[in-house]
Amino acid sequence: MSSATDPHRPRFHFTAPQHWLNDPNGLCHHGGRYHLHYQHNPAAAQWGVIHWGHASSADLVHWQDEPIALAPSHEYDRQGCWSGCIVEVDGQPTLHYTGFSDAGQVQCAATSSDLVHWHKRETGRIVERPAGVSAHDFRDPYVFRHSERWYMVVGASLDHERGQCLLYRSADGVEWEERGALYTAPDLRQGRMWECPNFFPLGDKWVLVVSLWLFLGVHVFVGRFENERFVPEWDGPLDVDAGAFAHLAFRGPDGRMLQWGWINEQREQALIDADGWAGAMTVPRELLLDQRGRLAQRPVAELARLRGTELMPQAVTDAPGTRRRFAGRHLDIEANYAMCGPAKVGLDLLVSADGRERTRVVFWPEARRLSIERAHSSLEPRVRRQDLHAHLELDPGEPLQLRVLLDASVLEVYANERLCLTTRVYPTLPDSVGAVAFSEAEGLGADELSLRVWEMGSMFPAR
């Protein structure tokens, strides 16, 4: 079902043409175009025998679908070609991925000249699995170049108890040797298994991003890479509650570190099957370090090219004071609040005329808590409606800066480029399009709120 006829299908967040989508894979820039690969079941709108779907773009904004890049074909990957990456080894695009079969998970490689026809290494296994790691806890290779050597990190679990990131090294990008654990979860609170590890330099630091299985969120560590070991100096959540998961980053041709994440469905399978598609990507994000050495993130600047009409929110006086009202299901919102007191501030989105449906984005300064409240987001009982929360500590006098991307059922909330809350909402009423910028303090003057809102166009001009 197209975004024109499906009220829940996004128009500026990437979705597969049909059926199932999960982790972003194989991000690269080749032949003058950006390439996004993704985990894909071409047979149904549910997880199954996974292939690599493929799309490309000249500008990070408008995307065209490409033929499926990778399909199960050998004994070692007959049950799925799982997540991985693409790098150029001696000028040749080389794909690293996890092959899945009854025997477990192995790391595999394939090469290509055009990103269309891929030639797998017949042996399948390119690295050895270390002791203490199960054949079913060993996946998602990420390859990078450093100090004239190739390195690979692989997600793992130590004794099926503690997340771990394994390190391998190669002189030629073909033959690999084990180098032990790059870093292991310091305690049991950070997941039994670390999936989709990313490890890359940013500024004068190194960044390790891991997805905490089972769907416990995405965590980031910033620190040093010394003697083939990672030494963290700061860490924190990148996306909480696994609203977005399985993040993957690569360095673009202009030097920016770009990242996508997978936004899962949060509704029962019968509803997914009826629509015929599942899963979406976050918008591409740019990763940076802030002045304190923390990881910062923001939507890429190119996203503004999809902005259409700028809406003019109307000031309406009602209790407890003046609010700004507007409407839409596909919006890019910039809302900056001067924090003058303890009152809660935020946005009500997808509000129905009778008030029965509403999704609230709210910041509570005294609790230092940013929330997406979904209890009333849908009248459909077969969707998830629990609230999401994240700790957000602002400096004295620092305004709250929200960038909110609402795209049908997809909601991304960026706060001060410091954290992101990502989730899904499924309103049922046709008139659930209302929106309000609010403060629970008396009034909402121009000196307290700077608000700009744009309607957003589609990233799929050919669909």
Side-chain angles (χ1 to χ4, degrees), residues 115-238:
L115 267 65
V116 176
H117 305 93
W118 289 95
H119 307 283
K120 298 179 183 178
R121 286 182 61 177
E122 292 297 324
T123 54
R125 186 190 308 271
I126 61 172
V127 298
E128 295 300 319
R129 175 171 47 86
V133 174
S134 162
H136 293 278
D137 291 332
F138 182 55
R139 52 187 177 268
D140 309 333
Y142 184 90
V143 177
F144 61 95
R145 183 84 168 161
H146 175 62
S147 297
E148 299 183 354
R149 291 172 172 165
W150 289 102
Y151 285 94
M152 176 192 301
V153 292
V154 181
S157 176
L158 179 62
D159 298 324
H160 198 60
E161 274 295 320
R162 189 173 297 214
Q164 190 173 65
C165 184
L166 304 174
L167 184 67
Y168 297 83
R169 187 177 73 187
S170 174
D172 59 5
V174 178
E175 301 296 329
W176 297 88
E177 59 176 323
E178 181 185 341
R179 304 303 293 172
L182 173 74
Y183 188 61
T184 302
D187 58 57
L188 300 182
R189 293 174 297 175
Q190 292 178 338
R192 286 182 177 271
M193 168 78 194
W194 280 358
E195 292 192 312
C196 303
N198 293 204
F199 189 56
F200 52 85
L202 194 60
D204 60 353
K205 301 295 182 181
W206 282 78
V207 176
L208 174 63
V209 178
V210 292
S211 293
L212 312 182
W213 185 253
L214 299 161
F215 291 114
L216 299 176
V218 178
H219 207 77
V220 59
F221 303 85
V222 177
R224 307 187 307 277
F225 185 29
E226 297 177 347
N227 301 317
E228 299 186 340
R229 294 295 180 265
F230 176 64
V231 182
E233 300 172 339
W234 174 88
D235 71 281
L238 186 62

Side-chain angles (χ1 to χ4, degrees), residues 359-372:
T359 298
R360 170 164 282 202
V361 177
V362 59
F363 179 61
W364 185 6
E366 285 197 317
R368 296 173 177 171
R369 188 174 73 181
L370 179 69
S371 303
I372 298 177

Side-chain angles (χ1 to χ4, degrees), residues 9 18 20 23 82 94 102 117 130 161 182 217 222-223 254 264 271 289 291 343 347 362 364 372 392 412:
R9 187 154 188 176
Q18 59 182 350
W20 175 266
D23 306 5
W82 287 8
T94 303
D102 289 333
H117 305 93
E161 274 295 320
L182 173 74
V222 177
D254 57 4
N264 195 8
L271 299 176
L289 291 182
Q291 293 180 344
L347 300 159
V362 59
W364 185 6
I372 298 177
L392 176 61
E412 291 188 80

Side-chain angles (χ1 to χ4, degrees), residues 117-434:
H117 305 93
W118 289 95
H119 307 283
K120 298 179 183 178
R121 286 182 61 177
E122 292 297 324
T123 54
R125 186 190 308 271
I126 61 172
V127 298
E128 295 300 319
R129 175 171 47 86
V133 174
S134 162
H136 293 278
D137 291 332
F138 182 55
R139 52 187 177 268
D140 309 333
Y142 184 90
V143 177
F144 61 95
R145 183 84 168 161
H146 175 62
S147 297
E148 299 183 354
R149 291 172 172 165
W150 289 102
Y151 285 94
M152 176 192 301
V153 292
V154 181
S157 176
L158 179 62
D159 298 324
H160 198 60
E161 274 295 320
R162 189 173 297 214
Q164 190 173 65
C165 184
L166 304 174
L167 184 67
Y168 297 83
R169 187 177 73 187
S170 174
D172 59 5
V174 178
E175 301 296 329
W176 297 88
E177 59 176 323
E178 181 185 341
R179 304 303 293 172
L182 173 74
Y183 188 61
T184 302
D187 58 57
L188 300 182
R189 293 174 297 175
Q190 292 178 338
R192 286 182 177 271
M193 168 78 194
W194 280 358
E195 292 192 312
C196 303
N198 293 204
F199 189 56
F200 52 85
L202 194 60
D204 60 353
K205 301 295 182 181
W206 282 78
V207 176
L208 174 63
V209 178
V210 292
S211 293
L212 312 182
W213 185 253
L214 299 161
F215 291 114
L216 299 176
V218 178
H219 207 77
V220 59
F221 303 85
V222 177
R224 307 187 307 277
F225 185 29
E226 297 177 347
N227 301 317
E228 299 186 340
R229 294 295 180 265
F230 176 64
V231 182
E233 300 172 339
W234 174 88
D235 71 281
L238 186 62
D239 271 282
V240 300
D241 290 337
F245 200 70
H247 294 51
L248 185 64
F250 91 107
R251 195 168 301 280
D254 57 4
R256 289 180 298 172
M257 206 69 196
L258 305 176
Q259 183 190 70
W260 281 254
W262 162 48
I263 309 172
N264 195 8
E265 294 298 322
Q266 298 191 26
R267 50 183 175 161
E268 291 186 7
Q269 190 62 47
L271 299 176
I272 297 171
D273 290 341
D275 287 343
W277 65 277
M281 294 296 175
T282 65
V283 298
R285 303 170 175 180
E286 180 183 1
L287 303 181
L288 313 98
L289 291 182
D290 69 12
Q291 293 180 344
R292 296 186 182 180
R294 304 171 298 191
L295 189 72
Q297 57 180 323
R298 62 192 181 199
V300 295
E302 289 91 334
L303 189 66
R305 297 177 187 172
L306 289 177
R307 288 173 173 171
T309 301
E310 182 171 4
L311 305 181
M312 303 302 294
Q314 298 296 310
V316 177
T317 300
D318 56 8
T322 303
R323 302 180 176 214
R324 311 284 178 80
R325 296 185 180 275
F326 52 101
R329 286 181 182 253
H330 306 273
L331 302 174
D332 185 349
I333 304 166
E334 294 180 355
N336 298 332
Y337 294 84
M339 301 310 299
C340 301
K344 294 179 182 179
V345 298
L347 300 159
D348 285 333
L349 303 170
L350 301 174
V351 183
S352 63
D354 60 11
R356 288 189 296 158
E357 290 188 328
R358 179 188 71 187
T359 298
R360 170 164 282 202
V361 177
V362 59
F363 179 61
W364 185 6
E366 285 197 317
R368 296 173 177 171
R369 188 174 73 181
L370 179 69
S371 303
I372 298 177
E373 298 177 353
R374 299 192 297 170
H376 304 288
S377 63
S378 178
L379 299 179
E380 170 57 65
R382 294 172 292 174
V383 305
R384 298 178 193 167
R385 294 186 299 277
Q386 73 271 28
D387 295 344
L388 286 77
H389 305 288
H391 180 77
L392 176 61
E393 184 175 349
L394 300 180
D395 295 330
E398 182 182 8
L400 173 67
Q401 300 173 330
L402 296 181
R403 177 79 178 276
V404 178
L405 303 177
L406 173 63
D407 193 10
S409 62
V410 170
L411 179 59
E412 291 188 80
V413 180
Y414 297 82
N416 293 60
E417 297 187 352
R418 201 167 299 162
L419 60 83
C420 187
L421 282 175
T422 305
T423 194
R424 305 295 294 274
V425 288
Y426 304 95
T428 63
L429 301 176
D431 65 359
S432 290
V433 296

Side-chain angles (χ1 to χ4, degrees), residues 73-87:
S73 60
H74 290 62
E75 181 61 28
Y76 57 77
D77 68 3
R78 68 184 182 87
Q79 291 180 263
C81 298
W82 287 8
S83 291
C85 65
I86 293 176
V87 294

